[in-house]
Amino acid sequence: MKEIDNLLGFRESIKVVDATLRDGGLVNDFYFTDDFVKALYKTNVDAGVDYMEMGYRASKKVFDESKFGKWKFSSDEHIREIVGDNNTNLKLAIMADIGRHDKNDFDEKVNSPVDLVRVATYIHQMPEAIDMIEDAAKKGYHTTCNIMAISSAQESDIKAALRMLSDTPVEVIYIVDSYGSIYPEEMARVVDIYKEYADKYGKTLGIHAHNNQQLAFANTIEACGDGVDWLDATYMGMGRGAGNCSMENLLGFLKNPKYNSNPVYKFLSQYMQKLREDGVVWGYDIQYLITGLLNQHPRMAIQFTKDKRTDYDEFYKEILN
C-alpha cells in the first residue's frame, strides 16, 4: 500500500499539464475562437498550471487545412498571437503525432515560443518516435514520449519500448490509457513496470487518462500516489470521446499552494459551459463505457454519438461482433 504522504503531502516535482486545446480539439475539429484560447491561457496562468498544450503540429501534407481549425497545426505565429512573449511561469507544449507530423515543421527552439514537444506514438512506431524525439531535443526543446494504447499491448513489447527510450534524450515517458480501460489496481502495476525503467535511466513519468469508465481522475491520483509526477488534465474533462481527467478535480486534489482553483470555476462558467450550449459533445456515456469495458478504441462509440443513437444493446452486440 502506498504511503499516505504520497497522496496528502506536497510534492514539488509534480507538474500539471493542460491538454484541453489538443485533446479537446479532437471533439470540435480544433475550431476554438481566439477569445476562448486567450481565456484558457489566462486561466492556466492564474491557476498556476505548469504546462499548456497548444494543440497539434500536424502535417498539412497529411491533413486538409480547410477542414480543421488552426490548433490542429499550431504554428509558432498563431501561438504568439495568443501569448505574445509569454512572460509568465506557464510553459507551452505542442504534440507531434507519429505518422501525422513533419519534423521539418519544427523550427529551432530559440525561434519558437514552444518549450516542450510531446511525441505521441504507438509501440510499433517507436523507431520513428525516437527519431522525432532526437530531432526535437537537438533543436533545443524539452521532450516527452506518450506511448498510446498500452492496454492492448503485450507487456514484453512495452518493456522493449521503454528500453529503446532509455538511450534517447526524452525526459518524460507517459503512461497513456487511450481506451479508458485500465482500473486503478491495474494502474499501480503498470506504474511499477514503467518506474523500473524510469528510475534506472533517469526518466520522469507522466499519466494521460481517459474517462470511459469514469476512472480518469482515479487513475491519475493512483499514478500520482505511486510516484508519477506529470499529470494531464482538461477543463470539464473535454477530450476525445469520454474525455479526460478534469482539471477542476485535479487542482482541487493537489496540495501545492501554487495551484488556485478560483479562476478555473470562472472559466468553466463563461467558456466551457458555452461550448456545451453550442452543441459540442464530450464526456462519459454508455457507448464509451462499453468500449472501455471491452478494451476497444472508441471510434465506433464516437460514430454512435454523432449518429445520436441510443440503442445501447445493439451497439454492444456490434462491438462484440
Side-chain angles (χ1 to χ4, degrees), residues 57-65 73 99-105:
R57 186 158 294 172
S59 172
K60 295 176 183 178
K61 299 174 185 176
V62 178
F63 295 96
D64 183 347
E65 190 176 5
F73 309 97
R100 302 170 182 175
H101 80 294
D102 187 336
K103 66 183 181 182
N104 295 319
D105 290 335

mmCIF file of all heavy atoms in Angstrom, residues 57-65 73 99-105:
data_model
loop_
_atom_site.group_PDB
_atom_site.id
_atom_site.type_symbol
_atom_site.label_atom_id
_atom_site.label_comp_id
_atom_site.label_asym_id
_atom_site.label_seq_id
_atom_site.Cartn_x
_atom_site.Cartn_y
_atom_site.Cartn_z
ATOM 1 N N ARG A 57 0.886 19.854 -33.880
ATOM 2 C CA ARG A 57 1.523 20.390 -35.072
ATOM 3 C C ARG A 57 1.460 19.289 -36.119
ATOM 4 O O ARG A 57 2.427 18.584 -36.393
ATOM 5 C CB ARG A 57 2.959 20.843 -34.812
ATOM 6 C CG ARG A 57 3.558 21.546 -36.035
ATOM 7 C CD ARG A 57 4.710 22.455 -35.667
ATOM 8 N NE ARG A 57 4.252 23.576 -34.858
ATOM 9 C CZ ARG A 57 5.073 24.444 -34.260
ATOM 10 N NH1 ARG A 57 6.389 24.303 -34.365
ATOM 11 N NH2 ARG A 57 4.582 25.440 -33.550
ATOM 12 N N ALA A 58 0.273 19.132 -36.683
ATOM 13 C CA ALA A 58 0.044 18.092 -37.685
ATOM 14 C C ALA A 58 0.557 18.551 -39.036
ATOM 15 O O ALA A 58 0.660 19.750 -39.323
ATOM 16 C CB ALA A 58 -1.448 17.769 -37.764
ATOM 17 N N SER A 59 0.870 17.609 -39.877
ATOM 18 C CA SER A 59 1.398 17.916 -41.203
ATOM 19 C C SER A 59 0.274 18.306 -42.158
ATOM 20 O O SER A 59 -0.745 17.602 -42.271
ATOM 21 C CB SER A 59 2.145 16.710 -41.760
ATOM 22 O OG SER A 59 2.509 16.932 -43.102
ATOM 23 N N LYS A 60 0.461 19.386 -42.857
ATOM 24 C CA LYS A 60 -0.508 19.802 -43.869
ATOM 25 C C LYS A 60 -0.418 18.936 -45.121
ATOM 26 O O LYS A 60 -1.258 19.038 -46.013
ATOM 27 C CB LYS A 60 -0.303 21.280 -44.207
ATOM 28 C CG LYS A 60 -0.593 22.191 -43.015
ATOM 29 C CD LYS A 60 -0.304 23.647 -43.324
ATOM 30 C CE LYS A 60 -0.530 24.517 -42.082
ATOM 31 N NZ LYS A 60 -0.211 25.938 -42.325
ATOM 32 N N LYS A 61 0.592 18.072 -45.175
ATOM 33 C CA LYS A 61 0.685 17.087 -46.253
ATOM 34 C C LYS A 61 -0.234 15.904 -45.976
ATOM 35 O O LYS A 61 -0.582 15.161 -46.888
ATOM 36 C CB LYS A 61 2.129 16.592 -46.386
ATOM 37 C CG LYS A 61 3.145 17.675 -46.726
ATOM 38 C CD LYS A 61 4.555 17.122 -46.692
ATOM 39 C CE LYS A 61 5.599 18.218 -46.900
ATOM 40 N NZ LYS A 61 6.983 17.700 -46.769
ATOM 41 N N VAL A 62 -0.607 15.745 -44.708
ATOM 42 C CA VAL A 62 -1.460 14.626 -44.300
ATOM 43 C C VAL A 62 -2.905 15.063 -44.121
ATOM 44 O O VAL A 62 -3.837 14.343 -44.492
ATOM 45 C CB VAL A 62 -0.931 14.003 -42.989
ATOM 46 C CG1 VAL A 62 -1.839 12.872 -42.515
ATOM 47 C CG2 VAL A 62 0.502 13.508 -43.170
ATOM 48 N N PHE A 63 -3.111 16.274 -43.579
ATOM 49 C CA PHE A 63 -4.455 16.766 -43.276
ATOM 50 C C PHE A 63 -4.794 17.970 -44.141
ATOM 51 O O PHE A 63 -3.941 18.836 -44.388
ATOM 52 C CB PHE A 63 -4.557 17.152 -41.800
ATOM 53 C CG PHE A 63 -4.416 15.999 -40.856
ATOM 54 C CD1 PHE A 63 -3.193 15.701 -40.272
ATOM 55 C CD2 PHE A 63 -5.504 15.188 -40.559
ATOM 56 C CE1 PHE A 63 -3.051 14.636 -39.411
ATOM 57 C CE2 PHE A 63 -5.376 14.116 -39.688
ATOM 58 C CZ PHE A 63 -4.148 13.831 -39.124
ATOM 59 N N ASP A 64 -6.040 18.034 -44.566
ATOM 60 C CA ASP A 64 -6.548 19.160 -45.338
ATOM 61 C C ASP A 64 -6.781 20.337 -44.393
ATOM 62 O O ASP A 64 -7.665 20.278 -43.527
ATOM 63 C CB ASP A 64 -7.852 18.756 -46.036
ATOM 64 C CG ASP A 64 -8.407 19.853 -46.936
ATOM 65 O OD1 ASP A 64 -7.940 21.010 -46.843
ATOM 66 O OD2 ASP A 64 -9.322 19.550 -47.726
ATOM 67 N N GLU A 65 -6.005 21.390 -44.574
ATOM 68 C CA GLU A 65 -6.061 22.532 -43.667
ATOM 69 C C GLU A 65 -7.439 23.171 -43.621
ATOM 70 O O GLU A 65 -7.847 23.734 -42.598
ATOM 71 C CB GLU A 65 -5.010 23.565 -44.092
ATOM 72 C CG GLU A 65 -4.802 24.689 -43.106
ATOM 73 C CD GLU A 65 -3.689 25.630 -43.544
ATOM 74 O OE1 GLU A 65 -3.153 25.459 -44.650
ATOM 75 O OE2 GLU A 65 -3.370 26.547 -42.756
ATOM 76 N N PHE A 73 -2.788 22.536 -36.328
ATOM 77 C CA PHE A 73 -1.466 22.741 -36.919
ATOM 78 C C PHE A 73 -0.563 23.626 -36.061
ATOM 79 O O PHE A 73 0.650 23.619 -36.229
ATOM 80 C CB PHE A 73 -1.628 23.329 -38.326
ATOM 81 C CG PHE A 73 -2.579 22.550 -39.178
ATOM 82 C CD1 PHE A 73 -3.909 22.943 -39.309
ATOM 83 C CD2 PHE A 73 -2.177 21.388 -39.812
ATOM 84 C CE1 PHE A 73 -4.800 22.209 -40.084
ATOM 85 C CE2 PHE A 73 -3.061 20.645 -40.588
ATOM 86 C CZ PHE A 73 -4.372 21.066 -40.718
ATOM 87 N N GLY A 99 3.475 9.634 -37.643
ATOM 88 C CA GLY A 99 2.737 9.250 -38.831
ATOM 89 C C GLY A 99 1.836 10.354 -39.350
ATOM 90 O O GLY A 99 1.327 10.266 -40.475
ATOM 91 N N ARG A 100 1.665 11.418 -38.534
ATOM 92 C CA ARG A 100 0.783 12.523 -38.919
ATOM 93 C C ARG A 100 1.472 13.869 -38.747
ATOM 94 O O ARG A 100 0.814 14.897 -38.707
ATOM 95 C CB ARG A 100 -0.498 12.478 -38.072
ATOM 96 C CG ARG A 100 -1.250 11.170 -38.193
ATOM 97 C CD ARG A 100 -2.353 11.058 -37.174
ATOM 98 N NE ARG A 100 -3.049 9.782 -37.270
ATOM 99 C CZ ARG A 100 -3.999 9.371 -36.444
ATOM 100 N NH1 ARG A 100 -4.364 10.149 -35.431
ATOM 101 N NH2 ARG A 100 -4.572 8.203 -36.596
ATOM 102 N N HIS A 101 2.785 13.849 -38.615
ATOM 103 C CA HIS A 101 3.550 15.061 -38.372
ATOM 104 C C HIS A 101 4.661 15.174 -39.412
ATOM 105 O O HIS A 101 4.905 14.254 -40.201
ATOM 106 C CB HIS A 101 4.180 15.032 -36.983
ATOM 107 C CG HIS A 101 5.422 14.207 -36.928
ATOM 108 N ND1 HIS A 101 5.417 12.835 -37.114
ATOM 109 C CD2 HIS A 101 6.723 14.544 -36.741
ATOM 110 C CE1 HIS A 101 6.645 12.372 -37.036
ATOM 111 N NE2 HIS A 101 7.459 13.379 -36.815
ATOM 112 N N ASP A 102 5.338 16.306 -39.399
ATOM 113 C CA ASP A 102 6.517 16.519 -40.235
ATOM 114 C C ASP A 102 7.529 17.264 -39.375
ATOM 115 O O ASP A 102 7.295 18.413 -38.991
ATOM 116 C CB ASP A 102 6.166 17.344 -41.487
ATOM 117 C CG ASP A 102 7.318 17.442 -42.475
ATOM 118 O OD1 ASP A 102 8.485 17.299 -42.045
ATOM 119 O OD2 ASP A 102 7.059 17.671 -43.666
ATOM 120 N N LYS A 103 8.628 16.620 -39.057
ATOM 121 C CA LYS A 103 9.593 17.249 -38.160
ATOM 122 C C LYS A 103 10.198 18.514 -38.756
ATOM 123 O O LYS A 103 10.716 19.365 -38.026
ATOM 124 C CB LYS A 103 10.696 16.267 -37.767
ATOM 125 C CG LYS A 103 11.612 15.810 -38.889
ATOM 126 C CD LYS A 103 12.610 14.786 -38.356
ATOM 127 C CE LYS A 103 13.565 14.329 -39.448
ATOM 128 N NZ LYS A 103 14.517 13.303 -38.945
ATOM 129 N N ASN A 104 10.075 18.677 -40.063
ATOM 130 C CA ASN A 104 10.572 19.903 -40.698
ATOM 131 C C ASN A 104 9.707 21.116 -40.375
ATOM 132 O O ASN A 104 10.099 22.252 -40.649
ATOM 133 C CB ASN A 104 10.658 19.711 -42.217
ATOM 134 C CG ASN A 104 11.687 18.668 -42.610
ATOM 135 O OD1 ASN A 104 12.776 18.606 -42.043
ATOM 136 N ND2 ASN A 104 11.342 17.819 -43.572
ATOM 137 N N ASP A 105 8.537 20.878 -39.785
ATOM 138 C CA ASP A 105 7.665 21.983 -39.368
ATOM 139 C C ASP A 105 8.095 22.585 -38.035
ATOM 140 O O ASP A 105 7.497 23.551 -37.570
ATOM 141 C CB ASP A 105 6.215 21.496 -39.255
ATOM 142 C CG ASP A 105 5.584 21.193 -40.608
ATOM 143 O OD1 ASP A 105 6.047 21.775 -41.607
ATOM 144 O OD2 ASP A 105 4.655 20.370 -40.666
#
